[in-house]
């Protein structure tokens, strides 16, 4: 990693308002039917993440969130259109009608799952651009159009990233379940409201004083956990393990998925960095990522002398010996055991391995003319649109498009 220079980005702003980042989910063929047990709804939202929106819709509809199916999760800082399903009618709280809208579009013979998401259409507005950097931006756009980008997971995948512990699952796997529980209950999410952040600071301050923590509880789960700890006379590691298992399966699955994603990002960066004589590293919230020169990107996977490495999980994947050396090195650097993926730490939650495309080329990639930026005086803006497969991050494409280095 030290052999390569770090690069920054050309000047830009994304998501200055929700309309700057618009995404529409593409429903896979075969799901939408004229009849079926489940009704499919199109959900348009702004300023809400998917799970929070579904919680409010479920509560208003007299359902549990588990009775609502969805094809994908969408960011809070965006205007998004996605699909959800339910057997019973769904309603949006009246006070949220301007930011959450539901439309019935048909039926389905099964509840929606991530398999129903075949990709996403994006319309993004990049703002605060310097006029003197237009040529460099156009050059990068041409490269992105032809070559695409390395399919890294971006920071949205690591919403619980912590500068010391990295992810809550790390101390859990390293034998400190109390630290994991503390992170889950007291570490604020990015963009969380001040009231919630202040409450979590108080929980951090009073951690261990379970009576005080119980009074600060903001959810039924928190109240249940702190009430248990207050009454328990002999608290052990097993106690904390038992309490972590009370979290919703969705949240436990995300803990494992973020672990797999972080390992894959660093694993692939090391592989590509070792193979490329030219490229740059960029600093991200979750760690450095390697961006190879365009010629190497174009050669993936047809001429690339490494097979595309899948995301590690319980089912062993066929890695070459060279790939295994890099994977072992990555795990060692993260202070994780080589056996970390042999068994899921949560009995009810699977940690499957799976394939992931190493290189992605955006479809229908179009950029419009540069214009004066109405939000940033004396700066430019440009609108771009494209389609990506499910699971790919538009923000990672933007990073490649706005890379300062000419690679």
């Amino acid at each position: 990693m030290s052999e390569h220079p770090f690069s920054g980005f050309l000047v830009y702003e994304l998501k200055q308002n929700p309309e700057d980042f618009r995404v529409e989910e593409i429903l896979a063929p075969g799901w939408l039917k004229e009849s079926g047990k489940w009704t499919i709804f199109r959900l348009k939202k702004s300023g809400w993440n998917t799970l929070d929106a579904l919680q409010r819709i479920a509560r208003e509809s007299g359902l549990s969130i588990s009775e609502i199916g969805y094809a994908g999760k969408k960011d809070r800082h965006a205007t998004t259109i996605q699909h959800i399903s339910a057997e019973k009618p769904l309603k949006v709280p009246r006070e949220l009608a301007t930011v959450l809208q539901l439309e019935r579009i048909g039926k389905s013979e099964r509840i929606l799952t991530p398999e129903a998401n075949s990709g996403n259409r994006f319309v993004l507005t990049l703002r605060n651009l310097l006029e003197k950097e237009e040529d460099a931006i156009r050059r990068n756009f041409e490269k992105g159009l032809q070559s695409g980008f390395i399919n890294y997971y971006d920071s949205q995948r690591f919403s619980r990233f912590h500068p010391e512990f990295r992810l809550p699952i790390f101390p859990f796997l390293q034998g400190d379940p109390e630290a994991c529980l503390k992170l889950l209950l007291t570490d604020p999410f990015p963009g969380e409201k001040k009231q919630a952040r202040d409450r979590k600071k108080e929980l951090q301050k009073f951690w261990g004083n379970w009576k005080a923590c119980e009074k600060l509880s903001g959810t039924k789960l928190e109240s249940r956990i702190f009430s248990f700890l207050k009454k328990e006379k002999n608290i052990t590691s097993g106690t904390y393990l038992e309490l972590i298992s009370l979290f919703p399966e969705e949240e436990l699955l995300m803990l494992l998925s973020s672990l797999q994603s972080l390992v894959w990002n660093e694993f692939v960066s090391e592989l590509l960095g070792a193979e490329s004589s030219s490229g740059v590293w960029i600093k991200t919230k979750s760690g450095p990522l390697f961006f190879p020169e365009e010629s190497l990107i174009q050669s993936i996977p047809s001429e690339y002398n490494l097979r595309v490495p899948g995301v590690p999980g319980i089912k062993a994947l066929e890695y070459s010996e060279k790939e295994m050396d890099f994977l072992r090195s990555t795990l060692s650097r993260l202070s994780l055991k080589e056996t970390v993926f042999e068994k899921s730490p949560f009995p009810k939650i699977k940690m499957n391995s799976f394939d992931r495309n190493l290189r992605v080329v955006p479809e229908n990639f179009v950029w419009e003319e540069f214009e004066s930026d109405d939000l940033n005086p004396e700066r430019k803006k440009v609108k771009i649109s494209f389609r990506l497969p499910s699971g790919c991050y538009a923000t990672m494409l933007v990073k490649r498009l706005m890379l300062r280095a000419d690679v």
Side-chain angles (χ1 to χ4, degrees), residues 10 136-144 400-403 405:
L10 301 167
I137 296 171
R138 291 179 190 275
R139 187 167 58 244
N140 282 353
F141 282 6
E142 289 289 352
K143 290 179 180 179
R400 176 66 187 92
L401 296 178
M402 302 305 292
L403 199 62

Side-chain angles (χ1 to χ4, degrees), residues 12 16 23 93 108 260 289 301 350 389:
Y12 78 99
Q16 280 200 289
V23 53
S108 175
Q260 292 175 278
L289 296 177
K350 295 180 180 179

Side-chain angles (χ1 to χ4, degrees), residues 254-272:
M254 197 61 220
L255 291 180
L256 300 184
S257 298
S258 61
L259 166 69
Q260 292 175 278
S261 304
L262 185 69
V263 170
W264 192 83
N265 271 6
E266 299 211 6
F267 172 36
V268 167
S269 285
E270 291 294 331
L271 281 170
L272 295 175

Side-chain angles (χ1 to χ4, degrees), residues 281-295:
W281 291 85
I282 64 165
K283 294 179 180 179
T284 73
K285 167 185 164 182
S286 56
L289 296 177
F290 184 69
F291 279 59
E293 60 187 333
E294 185 185 17
S295 59

